[in-house]
Amino acid sequence: MPTTLLSQVDSSIGGKVAINTAYGKNQLGAFWPAQQVYITDIFLETLDARQVKAGMAEIIKIAPFSKGTLLQLLGAPEVPKILTLVEGAIRAKLEVIGNDWYEAKGGTRIGLNFGHTIGHALEKTAPELLHGEAVALGMLIELQLAQRLGEKTIPLEVIEKLLIKFSLPTQFHHYVNKERWSLFLEALLQDKKNEVNRIIFVVPGPEGKVKKLEINLLHLKSILF
Ligand SMILES: [Zn+2]
């Protein structure tokens, strides 16, 4: 029974379980799908506004990959009821997972990492950020990197507008300045997806197809600073 918005739309769905260790968050894990997941908005009323906003970031993350209406729902002038968004996000997540329950190499599930390569490193560098807030910034930076690599993606403005609408952070340099760069770099390299001099990240292509990209660290630095 997930009790935060973030867990309702993301971590309780998809069968991953993990614990944190001294080496970082979710470093020991397994695939073990729940038999049933019970979700109610009663718990959400107990959260402070910042926690709810952080959960919204994971809803925004999944929306571009879905063929459903989640992206339009989020952008509509009238914000729908929270449970409508929760349901939309769960459907979208299941759609992205498809048959890829065990994260096979080249599988579709990797789309769920949108915003997370940069996001996880940000979380370690700027502990004042909640996970969802770091993912929000991560999505913007990863789209920016993809565009600088000449890749076609969904428009960065689509995500940026939604982050502003739901009061999520959009100013990366507010959290990673030149002094924090080496910490940020160290955190990036701890990520098991990344390699000695390049990082791997995923973004939604123009039609929402998952695009897996890589960039070398010198290039990354020259884009960010
Ligand atoms: Zn996440």
Side-chain angles (χ1 to χ4, degrees):
M1 295 188 75
T3 56
T4 63
L5 181 59
L6 190 121
S7 59
Q8 292 188 353
V9 299
D10 197 26
S11 40
S12 71
I13 309 296
K16 270 194 178 183
V17 291
I19 55 170
N20 301 338
T21 74
Y23 297 98
K25 272 180 74 180
N26 294 338
Q27 291 294 306
L28 276 178
F31 292 94
W32 197 269
Q35 289 183 352
Q36 307 272 337
V37 178
Y38 295 94
I39 288 175
T40 163
D41 53 355
I42 295 171
F43 290 122
L44 303 181
E45 288 159 21
T46 67
L47 301 175
D48 63 43
R50 190 178 169 204
Q51 282 289 346
V52 176
K53 286 174 202 159
M56 284 303 304
E58 298 282 8
I59 302 181
I60 295 170
K61 170 200 82 178
I62 198 75
F65 297 107
S66 166
K67 289 177 194 73
T69 54
L70 187 58
L71 204 56
Q72 289 94 300
L73 270 178
L74 287 166
E78 201 173 321
V79 179
K81 284 204 176 68
I82 193 81
L83 274 183
T84 309
L85 291 175
V86 170
E87 193 187 333
I90 293 171
R91 286 187 194 286
K93 180 162 184 181
L94 291 172
E95 196 187 313
V96 171
I97 293 174
N99 294 322
D100 187 15
W101 280 92
Y102 297 100
E103 212 166 305
K105 241 195 157 101
T108 53
R109 191 169 180 141
I110 194 170
L112 302 171
N113 288 314
F114 175 35
H116 282 67
T117 297
I118 296 292
H120 281 150
L122 257 169
E123 256 181 297
K124 285 194 193 130
T125 316
E128 68 269 32
L129 286 169
L130 296 175
H131 175 73
E133 294 169 338
V135 169
L137 291 161
M139 290 189 279
L140 284 186
I141 296 296
E142 289 175 9
L143 283 173
Q144 194 186 330
L145 296 177
Q147 293 184 353
R148 291 289 288 271
L149 289 171
E151 297 286 338
K152 286 207 164 40
T153 66
I154 60 151
L156 193 148
E157 301 74 40
V158 170
I159 297 297
E160 193 172 28
K161 263 192 190 153
L162 290 177
L163 298 182
I164 292 167
K165 179 173 178 179
F166 292 101
S167 317
L168 282 155
T170 55
Q171 302 299 321
F172 174 80
H173 292 105
H174 186 81
Y175 301 96
V176 181
N177 50 21
K178 279 209 166 102
E179 287 80 69
R180 273 179 163 181
W181 170 254
S182 59
L183 268 177
F184 181 69
L185 202 61
E186 201 182 303
L188 270 177
L189 293 174
Q190 267 173 24
D191 189 326
K192 47 196 179 302
K193 288 189 297 298
N194 298 330
E195 285 169 33
V196 187
N197 54 9
R198 64 201 174 101
I199 63 156
I200 303 207
F201 61 101
V202 288
V203 292
E207 271 88 45
K209 260 189 122 199
V210 177
K211 272 195 171 185
K212 185 177 173 186
L213 304 172
E214 57 177 72
I215 186 165
N216 102 22
L217 291 172
L218 280 175
H219 194 185
L220 173 83
K221 189 177 182 193
S222 73
I223 293 172
L224 292 179
F225 290 99

